[in-house]
Amino acid sequence: MATVPSAALPAVPRGQAGPVPAEEQYVTFTVGTEEYGVNILSVREIRGWTPETKLPNMPDYVRGVGNLRGIIIPIFDLRARFGGGQTEVTKRHVVVVLQVGERTRGILVDAISDILTVAHDAVKPPPDIDSGLIDQQYLSGLVTAENRMVTLLDVTRLFAGDAVEELSSHHIQIPRQAQA
């Protein structure tokens, strides 16, 4: 586990309801040569790849659905989602199961890298980019850890908007998580 230190802890304004956590942890993984991270609080589990069940008329970044102990979850191909083409799956690929709001979703990635502990002030805003493989709206920031750049993803935005609307237009029900 790597730690990205803070240059200085952020000041907590007076009158704020509670302490602001000074750092967060991210699960990092690779897609191609790029490394991405998602907040560890949204990661439900990491699973080895098992063949998915294909659904008709899905966009190329929706691999199909998988069975997570009785819960059917959609599996998104992150490489395809970012415009890099569909992943040729091998035994090394893994699915990161994410809890996004009340829904559970899986993302297909090449490999898990690390768990990073990142100080809030170490997260840099994404640069203003007009084009590229990744839509900037999905980024929550960038962080440098041990001479490598990690792109932090905002999973709420990653699954909001067009992806969800496209699934809805195909009349696919993404199952809701059972209420606790």
Side-chain angles (χ1 to χ4, degrees):
M1 181 170 81
T3 300
V4 178
S6 169
L9 293 177
V12 177
R14 291 183 177 194
Q16 193 165 10
V20 175
E23 56 189 27
E24 292 182 328
Q25 289 189 312
Y26 293 87
V27 174
T28 65
F29 49 86
T30 57
V31 176
T33 58
E34 303 302 318
E35 187 171 2
Y36 300 96
V38 294
N39 191 306
I40 199 168
L41 296 176
S42 65
V43 177
R44 186 169 166 179
E45 68 180 77
I46 298 166
R47 303 178 60 155
W49 173 254
T50 56
E52 75 282 6
T53 300
K54 301 261 187 222
L55 298 174
N57 301 321
M58 288 286 98
D60 66 340
Y61 59 87
V62 179
R63 298 289 300 212
V65 294
N67 186 342
L68 180 66
R69 290 180 293 284
I71 300 172
I72 305 301
I73 62 169
I75 308 293
F76 292 81
D77 185 333
L78 206 54
R79 180 189 314 270
R81 182 72 178 118
F82 293 160
Q86 203 167 40
T87 301
E88 295 293 327
V89 180
T90 67
K91 292 180 181 177
R92 295 191 58 201
H93 286 87
V94 295
V95 173
V96 180
V97 179
L98 300 170
Q99 189 70 41
V100 183
E102 296 180 4
R103 299 184 186 271
T104 305
R105 297 181 171 129
I107 55 172
L108 174 63
V109 302
D110 292 347
I112 297 297
S113 302
D114 201 354
I115 295 176
L116 288 178
T117 301
V118 179
H120 278 280
D121 62 347
V123 177
K124 305 300 179 205
D128 186 20
I129 301 173
D130 292 334
S131 65
L133 280 181
I134 184 168
D135 192 332
Q136 189 174 356
Q137 68 177 323
Y138 307 136
L139 306 182
S140 62
L142 298 166
V143 64
T144 302
E146 299 172 359
N147 299 324
R148 64 187 201 269
M149 183 74 71
V150 178
T151 304
L152 304 178
L153 300 176
D154 183 324
V155 293
T156 302
R157 285 190 243 160
L158 183 64
F159 293 111
D162 62 337
V164 173
E165 290 171 13
E166 196 161 341
L167 286 171
S168 297
S169 71
H170 287 83
H171 306 289
I172 301 299
Q173 289 283 340
I174 300 175
R176 290 188 178 270
Q177 188 70 15
Q179 298 294 325

